[in-house]
Each structure stands twice: as structure tokens, then as C-alpha cells.
Amino acid sequence: MSDVKVERLLINYKTLEEFKHFKEYGNQELSMGEDLEDNIVENDSVSPFYGIYYGNNLIARMSLYRMSKRYDAYFEPPQDYLTLWKLEVLPNYQGNGYGERLVEFAKSYSLPIKTNPRINSHGFWEKMGFQKAHYDMERDLGENPLIWLPEGVNEQTRKD
């Protein structure tokens, strides 16, 4: 699995076409294709989308956004963190470690990570070291976030 490469995806119509092979799980989420379409400017735009190719086929993808500590409702003290969205591996490639590889790539930034797990995916996130977040209830967005902290980062429990 170490030879599997995570790539930043270009913001273009080829990537949009590749996204059509993926299926969304969870009614509350927007389609990554819609996100991509809204961000299409040109190939060299900074993309929040990452993926893994098998040959010429995109088989796994995620969105990864860096968030400023001024928007932090999840970590104490407030700090910059990553939001990992819409992790998905095509059905024929599931169970081969591609989702884990995407998460490990996100962890390589050594920033705290927040994600909103899809239905029936809590076991995967727990295996990857994520835990239920204690967060600012005043800013609750109807999410059930899970968080991961890099080694050496201590979180103080927030008062709910």
C-alpha cells in the first residue's frame, strides 16, 4: 500500500466526469461534483479534492479543507484544523486500504482533523483513531463530528 499515491485533483471537466462514477451516501451532503463544478476556474486553481488512481481510473476521493482557528468550535484551545469531507472508494476497490491511505495522507499535515461520518462508517473512523468531538453547542450545525488529534496535541474538554 505504500506505493499508492494520493494526488491533488485538478479542477476541470475531466475530474467532474470522473466524479460521476462515485455514488453519494447520505442525503444531507452535497455532491462533490456540484462542489467541483462550482469551483471550476482553470486547471491550476488550488483544489481541495484529493484522490487515488488505479491506472487511469479515479478509484478513491476526498475533500480536504484547511480551516482557520477563528472558526474552530471543536478544539481547545482554538487552532487551525482540517475538515475531511466525502471520503469515498468505488465499490470494486473497497476493503483494499484506499480509504485508510486517504486518511493517512490527511493526517500527514499534522493538524487536528474533523469529519462528519456517513451512516454506518463509525467503525472505520474509530479504527483510524477518530473519536466523538466535544464542541461548542451554541454553534451546533446538526453534525455529529468525529475528531483526530496529532500526537503531542492535547485537547482540553470543552464545556457542553
Side-chain angles (χ1 to χ4, degrees):
M1 186 60 39
S2 62
D3 58 336
V4 172
K5 183 179 171 195
V6 175
E7 300 179 30
R8 178 172 264 159
L9 302 177
L10 296 176
I11 298 176
N12 61 27
Y13 287 101
K14 179 182 182 290
T15 304
L16 182 61
E17 192 63 33
E18 290 173 323
F19 277 12
K20 290 179 182 176
H21 298 284
F22 290 84
K23 176 181 175 184
E24 286 293 320
Y25 302 105
N27 296 330
Q28 76 281 10
E29 297 176 348
L30 293 174
S31 158
M32 278 181 79
E34 290 171 2
D35 290 354
L36 180 65
E37 200 165 47
D38 290 343
N39 286 296
I40 288 179
V41 179
E42 51 189 75
N43 266 343
D44 60 2
S45 296
V46 176
S47 167
F49 308 110
Y50 294 85
I52 296 174
Y53 284 88
Y54 187 85
N56 292 324
N57 298 315
L58 181 64
I59 61 163
R61 66 178 185 172
M62 72 176 170
S63 298
L64 194 60
Y65 296 91
R66 186 175 179 135
M67 306 299 291
S68 169
K69 67 181 175 184
R70 78 181 112 153
Y71 303 111
D72 179 6
Y74 306 98
F75 306 99
E76 188 63 46
Q79 54 197 293
D80 289 353
Y81 66 98
L82 298 174
T83 296
L84 192 158
W85 284 70
K86 302 168 187 158
L87 176 74
E88 188 173 3
V89 178
L90 289 176
N92 290 346
Y93 297 91
Q94 292 175 2
N96 294 306
Y98 296 114
E100 293 162 350
R101 181 67 187 101
L102 286 170
V103 173
E104 291 300 330
F105 176 83
K107 287 179 175 181
S108 74
Y109 283 90
S110 296
L111 288 170
I113 301 171
K114 179 200 81 103
T115 191
N116 296 317
R118 293 180 180 187
I119 298 168
N120 300 323
S121 70
H122 277 80
F124 169 80
W125 293 106
E126 289 171 6
K127 184 173 93 173
M128 297 303 300
F130 284 71
Q131 55 191 288
K132 189 171 176 73
H134 301 280
Y135 60 98
D136 185 349
M137 296 302 283
E138 291 176 14
R139 294 172 64 179
D140 183 14
L141 302 172
E143 303 173 341
N144 293 306
L146 297 178
I147 60 169
W148 173 83
L149 295 169
E151 200 170 308
V153 174
N154 295 322
E155 181 188 26
Q156 301 169 6
T157 304
R158 288 192 185 224
K159 294 183 174 141
D160 295 287

